[in-house]
Amino acid sequence: GPPINDVLGCTDIICCIFFIVAIVGYVAVGILAWTHGDPRKVIYPTDSLGQYCGQGKLEKKPLLFYFNMMKCASPMVLLEFQCPTPQCFFFFLCVEKCPDRTLTLVTAIAKPEDWKYYKSYCREDPGNKPMTEILQKKLCPAYLISSKPFLQRCFPSLGKKGEVITVGDQDKFNDGEKIRDAKDLVAGMKNATVVMEGRQVAMKIFEDYTKSWYWILICLLIAVVLSLIFIVLLRYLAGIMVWVMILMVIAVVACGIAYSSIKYVNLKDTAGSNITLQQLGFQPDFSVYLHIRQTWLAFIIILAILEVIIIIILIFLRNRIRIAVELMKEASRAVGYVMSSLFYPIFTFFLLTIVIAYWGITAVFLSTSSEPVYKVFNETDCPHGRQTCEPENFTISAMKTDCPRSECLFAFYGGETPYHKYLIFFQFYNVFLFFWCANFVTALGQMTLAGAFASYYWAPNKPNDMPAYPLCASLGRSLRYHTGSLAFGSLILAIVQIIRVLLEYIDHKLKGAENKFAKFLLCCLKCCFWCLEKFIKFINRNAYIMVAIYGKNFCRSARDAFFLLMRNVIRVVVLDKVTDFILFLGKLLIVGLVGIFAFFFFSGQTDAFKDAAPSLHYYWVPILTVLVGSYLIAHGFFSVYAMCVDTLFLCFCEDLERNDGSAARPYHMTTELRYILMKDADSGKMILRIT
């Protein structure tokens, strides 16, 4: 019988048990994270008592107000709510709305109407206390400055009169201690503004998604339809479609070069178009770059290089492509008998979505599972300064007795419980299991498809001897007998990937270092592990095919696959990789066609789409999303063909070594495949039929 039925026993049982235990531990980490985590910490601002603005009893006070913008003005304080010095306690206060006028405590007390308004920004009602006591106890801010809400925080409304910076139409203000220039506030806001602008860009991007998601889905649906059309046409017109696909890729790239050239010429006399990209610097609005000639020149150069590379490869591989076309025809026949395989990537995508969602949610809950830590703050020397305290009983504690003017205030999020001590380990475990599970899902898809296509190849009488439902049968075999092998291969890959992540982290930490040898060594390690990851993916892919065929364990299958490919290394390069190149051109064509449509639609540069296109902050957001999504969709559909070609190719090599074409040991390959690649029975040498 065919080798696909030779062995039906469980493989790599120890690794299977280990994987199940790891999954149970992963679920336990998720439960711990969901129990302790609170995503509100990254959504809502926190006042100096650790309370969330806009939540609970502060539901009607959604905005964060800074008592004194002049003190503690750093990204650490303004964004992470940590106060590094004792002078800035009660620096944050949740308020209903930002101040709309500029007042000082001195002037406000003198006018009842202003004083009533001013008290709404005090942490507690000052009553009839004298001004010195109010300032000493930090009951109210020393001044109010007209502000505007920005990402749920109140920032001074700075303006300009000529070249002079003003606040509330005044170039000076009284902070309760002395008269200051309005420009002094700039330093207090500058560090926060840089990070806040990043958050604002993120919010604009999110807003663009809310406006354009419908059209993005339509573009992705077009990518699905185009992919299906290409796959169906490959089934019946493989030879013609491959050459049409190649010519269309060349034409699409040529159109890109022509369009970029026209834009480059048209911008010649436009004011400001001749500045360089270096002079322009980074701009969150990418449309700015499209008004620069150098941008279009870069597009011309990149596309021209791509066009030349494709043409040169096609010239040198023209004869090999003819053979690869015949192999594609055979793959089309196999896919035709297992049509359900075209939709299997949807199942893989669904499982990967679950893995990614679980990892992301767990990561958020883990990062927000720390508890508020309160510290002692005092303006004068205090032996308990910066020590941890409990706000509930601080007023009757020895700390308060020793330092009467001290306060127990929220400092940062942390924790000293065993859970918090091992929090970094849980984060690492979450990342590692994410890689392991994602690789497992991908491996399951590869083995399932390999088993289905192998059942086609080894069927003596095609398609009558094939299983009724080859894809479902292959999926059942993979899960029932080979979960351990899948876990083993994905574990090896996950270990290499986590090492690459650690190397990237170390590289990020050493960016400011001057040790050139360390940078060189790190660069070499990153390169080596990148190559190792690619090699392991190649070995794993072929090992899963051998497991699907013979049912042997992972290590033995990987060894057999590797030596089988090495014995046919010329054929691997000539046929298998040329076929991969053709499929890559197919992906490139679909991405190019959908990308061109998305560009003209979302950019509004075509009159036909101006009324239908949504108004966006950054039209590159949906375009990039469509490009990435289209590639993933095309990759999903074409990966079925790629897996089919790889499986048939490996089966063919195995068939040649197992059989000799005699009546006792007949070939399982089809007549068409035998015409493409034959074995000379007399000499035992591999012959490629070029003509």
Side-chain angles (χ1 to χ4, degrees), residues 323-633:
I323 304 173
V325 167
E326 297 300 321
L327 192 58
M328 290 287 292
K329 289 180 181 179
E330 183 66 20
S332 297
R333 280 187 282 272
V335 172
Y337 289 124
V338 194
M339 285 298 290
S340 56
S341 62
L342 291 177
F343 301 96
Y344 187 84
I346 298 174
F347 178 66
T348 300
F349 177 76
F350 173 73
L351 293 180
L352 284 175
T353 302
I354 294 175
V355 171
I356 294 171
Y358 185 88
W359 164 76
I361 294 172
T362 303
V364 169
F365 275 85
L366 282 173
S367 62
T368 59
S369 59
S370 50
E371 298 174 346
V373 176
Y374 296 86
K375 299 284 187 179
V376 176
F377 291 92
N378 197 65
E379 288 193 348
T380 58
D381 291 335
C382 175
H384 306 291
R386 303 297 293 172
Q387 291 184 9
T388 305
C389 58
E390 296 292 336
E392 292 81 7
N393 56 11
F394 181 73
T395 54
I396 57 174
S397 65
M399 294 180 180
K400 184 68 172 178
T401 305
D402 296 340
C403 307
R405 296 179 61 182
S406 64
E407 298 287 349
C408 182
L409 302 176
F410 168 74
F412 55 85
Y413 288 110
E416 298 177 355
T417 64
Y419 169 78
H420 293 99
K421 290 180 181 178
Y422 291 102
L423 196 57
I424 186 67
F425 167 77
F426 293 146
Q427 287 281 21
F428 177 83
Y429 189 78
N430 182 39
V431 174
F432 180 72
L433 261 292
F434 163 71
F435 282 124
W436 196 358
C437 292
N439 291 329
F440 180 87
V441 170
T442 304
L444 177 63
Q446 291 175 344
M447 186 179 290
T448 300
L449 292 172
F453 295 129
S455 66
Y456 160 82
Y457 185 93
W458 296 108
N461 184 17
K462 302 174 179 59
N464 297 329
D465 292 335
M466 291 176 61
Y469 302 100
L471 193 69
C472 294
S474 179
L475 178 61
R477 285 196 304 271
S478 300
L479 290 174
R480 182 178 179 182
Y481 299 108
H482 308 309
T483 298
S485 297
L486 294 170
F488 193 6
S490 53
L491 172 63
I492 296 171
L493 187 56
I495 292 172
V496 174
Q497 289 172 333
I498 202 71
I499 292 174
R500 289 193 63 203
V501 170
L502 293 175
L503 289 175
E504 291 292 341
Y505 176 76
I506 295 172
D507 185 37
H508 176 72
K509 289 294 183 182
L510 293 178
K511 278 192 181 294
E514 298 297 330
N515 192 330
K516 293 184 178 180
F517 176 76
K519 289 183 178 180
F520 172 76
L521 181 62
L522 192 61
C523 184
C524 291
L525 286 173
K526 287 167 63 177
C527 180
C528 290
F529 276 97
W530 179 84
C531 295
L532 180 61
E533 181 182 353
K534 296 298 179 184
F535 177 73
I536 290 176
K537 284 183 176 179
F538 173 77
I539 291 295
N540 283 5
R541 184 182 179 90
N542 291 284
Y544 297 143
I545 296 174
M546 295 300 282
V547 172
I549 296 173
Y550 287 105
K552 298 176 183 178
N553 63 51
F554 176 81
C555 290
R556 187 173 176 182
S557 298
R559 183 198 65 187
D560 293 345
F562 179 74
F563 286 114
L564 180 62
L565 292 172
M566 289 302 101
R567 290 193 295 271
N568 297 273
V569 65
I570 302 297
R571 186 176 283 109
V572 171
V573 176
V574 171
L575 286 179
D576 200 37
K577 296 309 166 189
V578 172
T579 308
D580 289 343
F581 174 69
I582 293 173
L583 293 175
F584 172 73
L585 291 182
K587 300 174 194 176
L588 206 63
L589 177 60
I590 290 173
V591 172
L593 292 174
V594 178
I596 289 172
F597 171 78
F599 174 77
F600 284 109
F601 179 81
F602 289 110
S603 65
Q605 296 193 19
T606 305
D607 294 335
F609 299 134
K610 276 189 176 179
D611 296 331
S615 177
L616 304 173
H617 297 290
Y618 312 121
Y619 66 77
W620 53 264
V621 170
I623 293 175
L624 286 180
T625 306
V626 167
L627 288 175
V628 174
S630 299
Y631 180 81
L632 293 177
I633 290 170

Side-chain angles (χ1 to χ4, degrees), residues 13-23 436 491:
I13 298 175
I14 295 176
C15 199
C16 178
I17 296 172
F18 185 52
F19 181 65
I20 293 172
V21 172
I23 292 295
W436 196 358
L491 172 63

